[in-house]
């Protein structure tokens, strides 16, 4: 065997080990979510092939989540919060980016630096003082409290700005010469060209919202406003022994991002590449 | 040509976002600093100015010092670990072998798994009595481990769980950077007889400066403020071994209703994070 193929074999071996490390825990959760509760502990020790395969297949855990644990409401909440953030975030973010690229005014550079600053400040640092603010606005335990503080999003402004800078300026110039208003230029000329960045930004916002934990934990109290990540963590404390249901809840929490990311992976990676490698 | 724009359209396009950013992102930081010199009466809810008293009582409290120590130890291990692993993984995923797209896809999967979800999943798998990880250890003839239940292993377990979720995600940024390096540059350097290592140090690293700076900063800020694993898995225990500053600040605000102390911790955490990030920027700038 020559050196070339041996190094390739080694690479494949490393890749396969790493892939198993990522996938096996998820595969185990998936399989276990189809077990009846009494089977969960039965095959755990000593380890046999039955540990990794549901011999008595059942949808029971999923049914329980929706009938007994209120996951229908939790899903609706999470979708609603995600959708509101995507729509609001896209609208405000793209308009602000539009202003930063096409308008001339004093203090523009300074304001843009402030936008960059807000995008670099980690959310956790402001979460507790933000709670006091939202509390004094009377928004604790409301949809407004979960949604509104996150809508103005520096990252989205940044992504749209990068995209606008690459568009030919003659497009906007000639429309303005023809007497189109700025609002018309924005809605009819610039935004229709923005499909790729719009998809990237929507995905980034939605996934970020789907995964957010600290803020919804702080700002909501009642079951009515629970979102998926908080519900999942409550499950650990409230029903610690319902392992099959916990596995099912884990699978459900992963399912939606996977369904969105599989066909749109390219856009998500583009968004990430733009944040990570460009100025 | 210069496009004419009026103050009306500027306000229409910019004001809503700027108002949101100022109110919900910048003002809270300012307010944390201000509130940290006040204390709230537990019964009346009245606020009174106490100067640096919140900070003084923090510095006199062994719970705070332990929490600071845990935060620093945690970060000294997890940050270099995640950055090196993410870079290695990105290099591995950038090799030109068949089916590499498939392997890239697999490491994209943790993007869909949030940190809280990863915590819940591994919490069941690491269960001391009946978890599958201990079953595997026993089947291999090893002793079962307490993992999150032991003050010696809990922090390490959290580092492992957070890295299981994090490394694939961070490597996405680095892979995007690696793919922008022109292949001709690498070919030229290997024709010149540069070893793999020399090529890495003199060609790849300098070209990766920007994405590397980004993930070094992003990883550090994320981990200094990591909260959900400690909240979900250990609540800071056993024996305060995972009680990081972020959790301590959260507990002071929402468990013990001591807002002044919570803000003081938050300000200290903010200062530490900013210092580390500034040092990294400086180091990355001078090292190339």
């Amino acid at each position: 065997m020559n050196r070339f193929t041996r190094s390739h074999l080694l690479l494949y071996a490393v890749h396969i080990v790493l892939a198993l490390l990522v996938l096996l825990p998820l595969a185990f959760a998936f399989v276990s979510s189809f077990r009846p509760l009494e089977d969960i502990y039965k095959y755990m020790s000593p380890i046999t092939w039955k540990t990794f395969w549901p011999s008595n297949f059942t949808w029971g855990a999923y049914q329980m989540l929706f009938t007994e644990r209120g996951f229908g409401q939790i899903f609706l909440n999470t979708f609603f919060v995600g959708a509101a953030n995507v729509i609001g975030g896209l609208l405000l973010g793209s308009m602000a980016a539009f202003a930063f690229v096409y308008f001339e005014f004093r203090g523009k550079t300074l304001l843009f630096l402030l936008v960059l600053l807000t995008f670099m400040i980690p959310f956790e640092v402001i979460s507790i003082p933000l709670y006091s603010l939202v509390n004094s606005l009377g928004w604790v335990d409301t949809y407004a409290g979960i949604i509104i503080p996150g809508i103005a999003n520096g990252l989205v402004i940044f992504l749209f700005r990068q995209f606008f800078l690459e568009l030919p300026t003659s497009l906007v110039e000639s429309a303005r010469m023809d007497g189109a208003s700025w609002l018309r230029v924005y809605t009819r000329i610039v935004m229709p060209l923005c499909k790729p960045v719009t998809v990237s930004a929507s995905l980034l916002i939605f996934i970020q919202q789907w995964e957010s934990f600290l803020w919804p934990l702080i700002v909501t109290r009642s079951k009515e406003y629970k979102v998926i990540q908080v519900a999942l963590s409550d499950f650990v404390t409230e029903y610690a022994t319902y392992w099959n249901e916990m596995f099912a809840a884990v699978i459900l929490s992963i399912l939606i991002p996977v369904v969105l990311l599989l066909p749109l992976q390219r856009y998500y990676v583009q968004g990430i590449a733009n944040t990570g490698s460009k100025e | 040509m210069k496009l004419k724009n009026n103050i009306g359209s500027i306000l229409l396009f910019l004001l809503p976002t700027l108002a949101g950013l100022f109110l919900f992102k910048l003002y809270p930081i300012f307010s944390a600093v201000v509130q940290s010199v006040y204390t709230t009466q537990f019964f009346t809810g009245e606020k009174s100015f106490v100067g640096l008293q919140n900070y003084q009582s923090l510095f006199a409290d062994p719970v705070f010092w332990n929490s600071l120590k845990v935060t620093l130890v945690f970060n000294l291990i997890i940050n270099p670990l995640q950055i090196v692993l993410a870079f290695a993984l990105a290099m591995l995923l950038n090799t030109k072998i068949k089916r590499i797209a498939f392997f890239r896809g697999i490491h994209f999967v943790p993007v869909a798994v949030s940190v809280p979800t990863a915590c819940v999943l591994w919490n069941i798998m690491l269960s001391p009595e009946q978890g599958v990880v201990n079953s595997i250890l026993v089947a291999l003839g090893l002793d079962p481990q307490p993992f999150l239940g032991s003050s010696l292993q809990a922090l390490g377990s959290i580092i492992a769980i957070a890295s299981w979720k994090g490394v694939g995600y961070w490597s996405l940024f680095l892979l995007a950077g690696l793919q922008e390096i022109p292949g001709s540059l690498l070919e030229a350097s290997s024709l010149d007889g540069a070893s793999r290592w020399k090529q890495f140090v003199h060609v790849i690293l300098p070209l990766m400066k920007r994405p590397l700076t980004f993930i070094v900063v992003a990883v550090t800020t994320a981990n200094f403020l990591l909260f959900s694993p400690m909240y979900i898995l250990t609540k800071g225990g056993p024996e305060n071994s995972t009680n990081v500053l972020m959790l301590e600040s959260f507990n002071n605000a929402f468990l013990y209703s001591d807002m002044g102390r919570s803000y003081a911790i938050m300000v200290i955490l903010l200062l530490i994070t900013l210092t580390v990030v500034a040092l990294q920027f400086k180091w990355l700038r001078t090292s190339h």
Side-chain angles (χ1 to χ4, degrees):
Chain A
M1 203 186 285
N2 62 35
R3 196 174 154 269
F4 179 77
T5 50
R6 213 184 313 160
S7 76
H8 267 219
L9 273 182
L10 188 69
L11 268 179
Y12 279 112
V14 173
H15 273 302
I16 287 164
V17 170
L18 289 175
L20 291 179
L21 210 59
V22 173
L23 291 184
L24 276 185
L26 297 172
F28 184 70
F30 186 73
V31 166
S32 303
S33 71
F34 295 109
R35 269 188 240 263
L37 183 61
E38 61 272 20
D39 274 20
I40 286 267
Y41 310 101
K42 206 155 108 191
Y43 303 114
M44 204 59 93
S45 196
I47 235 160
T48 57
W49 64 271
K50 280 188 170 173
T51 316
F52 301 98
W53 196 252
S55 19
N56 300 311
F57 181 94
T58 167
W59 290 97
Y62 291 93
Q63 266 166 11
M64 282 297 281
L65 283 180
F66 284 95
T67 54
E68 301 293 315
R69 320 273 179 236
F71 264 65
Q73 177 74 35
I74 289 159
F75 259 69
L76 278 180
N77 285 341
T78 321
F79 273 114
F80 177 65
V81 170
N85 256 285
V86 168
I87 294 167
L90 285 179
L91 186 70
L92 294 198
S94 64
M95 286 178 85
F98 185 89
F100 277 121
V101 172
Y102 296 110
F103 293 172
E104 290 304 328
F105 53 92
R106 222 186 290 166
K108 189 163 100 165
T109 318
L110 185 73
L111 277 183
F112 189 69
L113 279 176
L114 273 177
V115 169
L116 282 187
L117 182 72
T118 64
F119 142 52
M120 289 199 264
I121 296 165
F123 181 77
E124 289 80 357
V125 169
I126 59 170
S127 55
I128 292 172
L130 183 61
Y131 170 81
S132 306
L133 174 70
V134 166
N135 190 22
S136 54
L137 289 168
W139 289 351
V140 169
D141 222 12
T142 63
Y143 284 120
I146 321 178
I147 295 165
I148 293 175
I151 283 195
N153 186 330
L155 174 63
V156 180
I157 301 176
F158 178 78
L159 285 176
F160 271 97
R161 179 180 170 270
Q162 293 302 117
F163 192 84
F164 291 156
L165 287 173
E166 280 166 28
L167 291 177
T169 44
S170 57
L171 258 174
V172 175
E173 279 168 9
S174 53
R176 285 293 286 173
M177 301 260 278
D178 290 344
S181 70
W182 280 116
L183 206 57
R184 200 178 159 78
V185 173
Y186 166 78
T187 51
R188 293 295 157 86
I189 296 169
V190 173
M191 283 315 278
L193 296 170
C194 281
K195 198 188 141 211
V197 70
T198 306
V199 179
S200 294
S202 310
L203 272 178
L204 286 171
I205 303 172
F206 190 85
I207 303 282
Q208 195 182 19
Q209 204 57 51
W210 187 268
E211 300 195 340
S212 71
F213 174 73
L214 180 58
W215 183 243
L217 174 77
I218 291 177
V219 86
T220 59
R221 299 277 153 74
S222 50
K223 279 221 148 78
E224 226 182 312
Y225 301 102
K226 280 270 153 66
V227 294
I228 179 90
Q229 306 297 339
V230 178
L232 200 58
S233 88
D234 286 351
F235 214 107
V236 177
T237 31
E238 279 175 52
Y239 309 100
T241 51
Y242 292 122
W243 281 11
N244 57 340
E245 285 180 48
M246 274 167 51
F247 278 128
V250 162
I251 294 301
L252 285 177
S253 123
I254 299 169
L255 194 67
I256 302 303
V258 164
V259 165
L260 283 173
L261 285 169
L262 276 185
L264 299 170
Q265 185 179 350
R266 188 165 58 92
Y267 294 97
Y268 188 85
V269 173
Q270 261 165 16
I272 279 197
N274 273 329
T275 25
S277 62
K278 302 238 173 75
E279 201 168 354
Chain B
M1 83 167 238
K2 202 119 179 102
L3 293 171
K4 252 177 59 191
N5 45 64
N6 54 37
I7 189 79
S9 40
I10 293 174
L11 288 180
L12 170 72
F13 276 85
L14 215 47
L15 200 61
T17 307
L18 287 183
L21 289 178
F22 269 98
L23 189 59
F24 299 120
K25 299 267 151 61
L26 295 175
Y27 170 75
I29 295 186
F30 168 78
S31 123
V33 176
V34 172
Q35 303 276 336
S36 72
V37 293
Y38 283 86
T39 190
T40 313
Q41 278 336 110
F42 189 73
F43 290 108
T44 56
E46 257 174 72
K47 277 181 187 161
S48 49
F49 180 78
V50 291
L52 294 177
Q53 203 185 299
N54 285 324
Y55 292 93
Q56 278 165 354
S57 69
L58 264 188
F59 294 144
D61 185 354
V63 173
F64 167 77
W65 287 108
N66 172 65
S67 183
L68 181 67
K69 193 191 88 189
V70 172
T71 309
L72 293 179
V73 169
F74 176 70
N75 280 280
L76 279 175
I77 301 170
I78 195 171
N79 294 324
L81 181 80
Q82 287 193 345
I83 292 161
V84 169
L85 289 181
F87 206 120
L89 180 61
M91 296 283 287
L92 269 173
L93 292 174
N94 197 37
T95 46
K96 288 190 181 60
I97 54 172
K98 269 186 203 167
R99 303 261 168 265
I100 192 66
F102 170 75
F103 290 113
R104 278 182 198 155
I106 287 172
H107 293 283
F108 189 68
V109 170
V111 172
V113 186
S114 68
V115 180
T117 305
C119 290
V120 173
L121 171 62
W122 280 99
N123 188 39
I124 323 173
M125 309 232 308
L126 291 177
S127 162
E129 272 114 47
Q130 310 197 271
V132 69
V133 177
N134 270 333
S135 305
I136 293 172
L137 288 182
V138 170
L140 291 173
L142 300 163
D143 290 331
Q145 298 297 319
F147 297 115
L148 294 158
S150 136
S151 58
L152 291 174
Q153 293 180 6
L155 201 62
S157 304
I158 289 177
I159 288 174
I161 296 169
S163 303
W164 177 80
K165 186 263 170 324
V167 167
Y169 178 72
W170 299 120
S171 74
L172 277 179
F173 293 89
L174 294 172
L175 181 61
L178 283 174
Q179 287 178 330
E180 278 179 19
I181 297 177
S184 56
L185 262 178
L186 299 176
E187 273 165 36
S189 74
S190 43
L191 281 180
D192 287 347
S195 67
R196 282 278 173 85
W197 177 247
K198 277 200 165 156
Q199 192 179 47
F200 177 75
V201 173
H202 297 293
V203 183
I204 296 175
L205 266 187
L207 288 171
M208 287 294 286
K209 210 172 123 182
R210 200 189 292 282
L212 203 54
T213 311
F214 176 83
I215 79 138
V216 165
V217 171
V219 167
T220 310
T221 46
N223 286 328
F224 257 99
L225 299 158
L226 199 66
F227 166 79
S228 51
M230 295 78 178
Y231 177 84
I232 296 172
L233 297 174
T234 59
K235 303 274 177 202
E239 293 153 50
N240 277 334
S241 63
T242 59
N243 190 25
V244 289
L245 285 174
M246 190 62 215
L247 184 71
E248 179 67 10
S249 181
F250 177 91
N251 284 343
N252 275 288
F254 299 108
L255 219 55
Y256 317 130
S257 298
D258 191 346
M259 279 294 188
R261 186 180 153 106
S262 169
Y263 286 130
I265 297 173
M266 216 53 149
V267 170
I268 291 169
L269 202 45
L270 182 65
L271 287 177
I272 299 175
T273 318
L274 286 180
T275 312
V276 174
V277 168
L279 284 176
Q280 286 172 338
F281 262 113
K282 211 179 152 202
W283 171 75
L284 275 164
R285 191 160 296 169
T286 50
S287 68
H288 297 298

